[in-house]
Amino acid sequence: ALGPKPVIPGAGPAAPAIPLCPGRIRYFKV
Amino acid sequence: ARSPLPPPVRDPNCDDPEVEQAAWAAVQYVNSNHRHGYKYTLNQIDKVRVYQRKPVGEVYSMEIDLLETTCHVLDPTPLENCTVRQLTEHAVEGDCDVNVLKLDNQFVVSNAKCESSPDSAEDVRKICLDCALLAPLNDTKVLHTVDAAVAAFNAQNHTSYFKLLEISRAQLTPLHSSVYVEFVVGPTDCSPKDAAEPAACNLLADQHGFCKATLTEKVGGEDVAASCVVFGTVPVVPQPQPDGAGPTVGPTVAAGTPVVAGPGPAVAVGPAV
């Protein structure tokens, strides 16, 4: 409904994926 | 001198299944390489980088957060059945830097460096004003509580005299009116009756009792409540018999069968008595 994504002049190629870290907390953070 | 690490091959996600496998190998390594205190379990993977290992394999260089469980390292209970120590019990965290080698789809820990630290008293107070805080294990009140608890446990009618092996944990209530301790005992080749010289009693191999006790101060004295879970084969110590009576056959408990000894005679749990 908002139309196509605007093109930002000068924007380079997509950055490499950043690793998802730290990982999930299994219990609680101390 | 060590050669510097080569550039990393990749930076995987911390929750990547292979990274988790490497982290669990590290947890197992840590638990099997300390002989005092409690087993730790994985809480969070903080960082990971993977390096090529020449001529073959990969090295997972990781930072992991662990949490103390309620199972002692000498307790045969599998880690997956151990409960994490809760914040209200003054939780303890472990921070580890580990290198895990992956070779032929097997993860082998090459080195680990860990530091453990308790949660801050302020953080415990934020969630619970009257929670007991961890106390130094050489605190006079702690030592007194453990002595009283070991004596109380030995005063129950066991076949062996039990010696103190380790004080594992101690907590003092805010007003210091009660002391809670956890400690490890081991059965000896002495019966409780001939343990007048405890130094002469020899510990039996691979048998441990994990005990919890509370000493409460009251007007004119103190109360001690102690209970222990004993793992291992408890031998029969011959008891003096009236003339003509045959040898007593006492309880022999198979390895891994817990014996809960609370206030009263020892009760064997499970069918192995």
Side-chain angles (χ1 to χ4, degrees):
Chain A
L2 297 174
K5 209 173 170 183
V7 176
I8 302 163
I18 297 166
L20 299 173
C21 281
R24 68 189 170 95
I25 295 172
R26 288 159 181 78
Y27 299 96
F28 47 81
K29 198 73 186 162
V30 170
Chain B
R2 280 183 165 190
S3 57
L5 279 171
V9 178
R10 56 200 159 91
D11 290 332
N13 293 336
C14 280
D15 288 336
D16 181 287
E18 294 231 319
V19 175
E20 280 210 356
Q21 259 186 287
W24 280 112
V27 172
Q28 208 170 24
Y29 178 88
V30 168
N31 284 334
S32 57
N33 279 280
H34 69 123
R35 310 308 300 152
H36 299 283
Y38 296 88
K39 294 182 190 184
Y40 284 84
T41 193
L42 181 64
N43 189 36
Q44 188 177 31
I45 299 165
D46 284 338
K47 286 181 188 170
V48 59
R49 285 207 124 164
V50 179
Y51 297 88
Q52 184 110 47
R53 189 249 199 181
K54 286 181 179 172
V56 284
E58 289 182 330
V59 174
Y60 285 64
S61 186
M62 318 169 67
E63 279 181 37
I64 54 175
D65 276 355
L66 311 182
L67 282 174
E68 187 188 85
T69 70
T70 57
C71 292
H72 195 273
V73 282
L74 302 174
D75 180 338
T77 305
L79 181 62
E80 54 269 28
N81 296 345
C82 297
T83 312
V84 167
R85 190 80 66 178
Q86 294 302 300
L87 286 165
T88 50
E89 298 171 272
H90 205 163
V92 175
E93 179 198 36
D95 284 319
C96 298
D97 294 329
V98 296
N99 284 326
V100 185
L101 172 65
K102 186 188 175 195
L103 199 60
D104 298 330
N105 271 324
Q106 300 282 315
F107 290 92
V108 181
V109 176
S110 54
N111 66 289
K113 190 188 79 171
C114 298
E115 283 177 8
S116 64
S117 55
D119 194 5
S120 70
E122 292 73 27
D123 283 353
V124 179
R125 287 277 167 268
K126 273 183 206 162
I127 53 160
C128 171
L129 272 179
D130 54 358
C131 280
L133 295 176
L134 281 172
L137 300 179
N138 60 357
D139 181 283
T140 319
K141 286 191 169 203
V142 171
L143 297 175
H144 171 65
T145 302
V146 173
D147 281 346
V150 173
F153 182 68
N154 272 320
Q156 298 169 9
N157 229 354
H158 304 299
T159 48
S160 277
Y161 170 75
F162 283 79
K163 260 187 186 177
L164 176 67
L165 296 178
E166 172 197 302
I167 303 173
S168 314
R169 197 169 219 275
Q171 287 170 268
L172 299 175
T173 51
L175 295 174
H176 292 204
S177 55
S178 75
V179 184
Y180 172 77
V181 291
E182 293 184 12
F183 55 94
V184 184
V185 290
T188 65
D189 56 1
C190 293
S191 75
K193 285 172 188 160
D194 52 41
E197 194 63 59
C201 300
N202 303 303
L203 285 164
L204 304 174
D206 297 326
Q207 296 175 44
H208 303 100
F210 304 99
C211 304
K212 297 173 179 180
T214 303
L215 182 142
T216 312
E217 288 174 5
K218 58 179 193 179
V219 179
E222 56 193 24
D223 274 340
V224 182
S227 70
C228 299
V229 178
V230 181
F231 287 91
T233 306
V234 180
V236 178
V237 177
Q239 302 291 312
Q241 293 299 308
D243 286 346
T248 303
V249 179
T252 299
V253 183
T257 303
V259 175
V260 181
V267 178
V269 179
V273 178

